[in-house]
């Protein structure tokens, strides 16, 4: 008769004992205010993928004072991912900051949003009294794949009184490859006939449209 290994006694069944060492769930909104930048960065990443009510306001509030570049980037990426009308509108005030890096990053975040979300936020800036903000609006709209892009920029060429805003529109149209705006480019040249920069920019854009 062969040897048979005895079965070990089964552990008694019963309710699971909770792990006393398990950490409580982290509130990502509260974690945005933690002292550790890595915690704030992780919280921003998490909010970009699952945004509870109040996420946009919390992210923007943190961005107002955030000094860590990595956390800033995570917040801006999160807002671009959330991509709601609220998120787009919340980025606009950062286009008026003295911090050039923050201004440019905010504009890039807007451009990463769907065009149907970013464009309605940027369009009102084309009528802003500050020409610098109008330039940012032109640059932002120029980077959007939207069917109205060429018409919006053409209107800038035909109406904006600031030559630098017009030049920004020429550059945006040339980069977007919008030959349908050629007549508006010629209008800008006629509006500023003595400006050598305008003549050069219009000639360059015309050549790019013609494959030159």
């Amino acid at each position: 008769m062969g040897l048979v290994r005895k079965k070990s006694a089964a552990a008694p069944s019963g309710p699971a004992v909770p792990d006393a060492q398990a950490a409580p769930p982290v509130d990502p909104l509260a974690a945005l205010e933690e002292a550790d930048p890595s915690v704030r960065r992780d919280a921003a990443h998490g909010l970009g993928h699952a945004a509870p009510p109040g996420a946009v306001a919390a992210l923007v509030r943190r961005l107002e004072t955030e000094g860590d570049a990595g956390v800033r980037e995570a917040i801006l990426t999160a807002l671009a991912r959330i991509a709601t009308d609220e998120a787009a509108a919340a980025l606009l005030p950062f286009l008026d900051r003295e911090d050039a890096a923050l201004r440019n990053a905010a504009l890039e975040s807007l451009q990463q949003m769907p065009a149907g979300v970013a464009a309605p936020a940027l369009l009102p800036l084309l009528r802003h009294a500050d020409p610098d903000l109008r330039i940012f609006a032109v640059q932002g709209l120029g980077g959007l794949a939207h069917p109205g892009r060429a018409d919006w920029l053409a209107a800038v060429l035909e109406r904006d009184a600031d030559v630098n805003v017009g030049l920004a529109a020429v550059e945006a149209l040339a980069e977007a490859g919008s030959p349908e705006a050629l007549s508006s480019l010629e209008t800008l040249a006629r509006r500023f006939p003595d400006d050598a920069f305008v003549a050069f920019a219009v000639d360059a854009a015309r050549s790019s449209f013609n494959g030159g």
Side-chain angles (χ1 to χ4, degrees), residues 95-96 103 107 122 124-140 156 159-169 192:
L95 300 181
D96 197 25
R103 286 199 312 265
L107 188 61
L122 288 167
L125 291 184
L126 292 179
R127 300 186 297 275
H128 199 281
D130 185 347
D132 288 337
L133 283 177
R134 299 203 300 276
I135 289 173
F136 289 136
V138 165
Q139 292 172 339
V156 171
R159 300 169 192 166
D160 199 291
D162 190 287
V163 66
N164 292 316
V165 180
L167 287 169
F192 299 96

Side-chain angles (χ1 to χ4, degrees), residues 4-185:
V4 178
R5 178 179 296 176
K6 292 183 179 180
K7 295 181 179 179
S8 59
S13 60
V17 178
D19 184 357
Q21 302 300 319
V26 176
D27 177 1
L29 298 181
L32 284 175
E33 303 303 323
E34 289 288 336
D36 187 342
S38 67
V39 174
R40 299 199 302 273
R41 185 173 62 248
D42 290 345
H45 280 310
L47 291 171
H49 289 89
V56 170
L59 287 164
V60 171
R61 187 166 55 248
R62 182 66 248 172
L63 186 59
E64 291 276 359
T65 57
E66 182 56 60
D68 184 274
V71 180
R72 271 190 181 186
E73 181 180 356
I75 291 173
L76 290 163
T77 299
L79 290 169
R81 284 182 178 275
I82 293 170
T84 59
D85 293 342
E86 180 190 11
L91 284 170
L92 295 183
F94 294 96
L95 300 181
D96 197 25
R97 296 300 176 88
E98 293 184 6
D99 185 334
L102 181 56
R103 286 199 312 265
N104 293 334
L107 188 61
E108 289 175 6
S109 292
L110 282 163
Q111 290 177 316
Q112 291 168 10
M113 293 181 179
V117 174
L122 288 167
L123 280 169
L125 291 184
L126 292 179
R127 300 186 297 275
H128 199 281
D130 185 347
D132 288 337
L133 283 177
R134 299 203 300 276
I135 289 173
F136 289 136
V138 165
Q139 292 172 339
L141 292 168
L144 300 178
H146 192 288
R149 174 177 58 188
D151 289 339
W152 297 329
L153 297 178
V156 171
L157 296 175
E158 295 172 5
R159 300 169 192 166
D160 199 291
D162 190 287
V163 66
N164 292 316
V165 180
L167 287 169
V170 173
E171 182 178 359
L173 284 165
E175 291 179 354
S178 302
E180 64 270 29
L182 185 57
S183 63
S184 297
L185 290 169

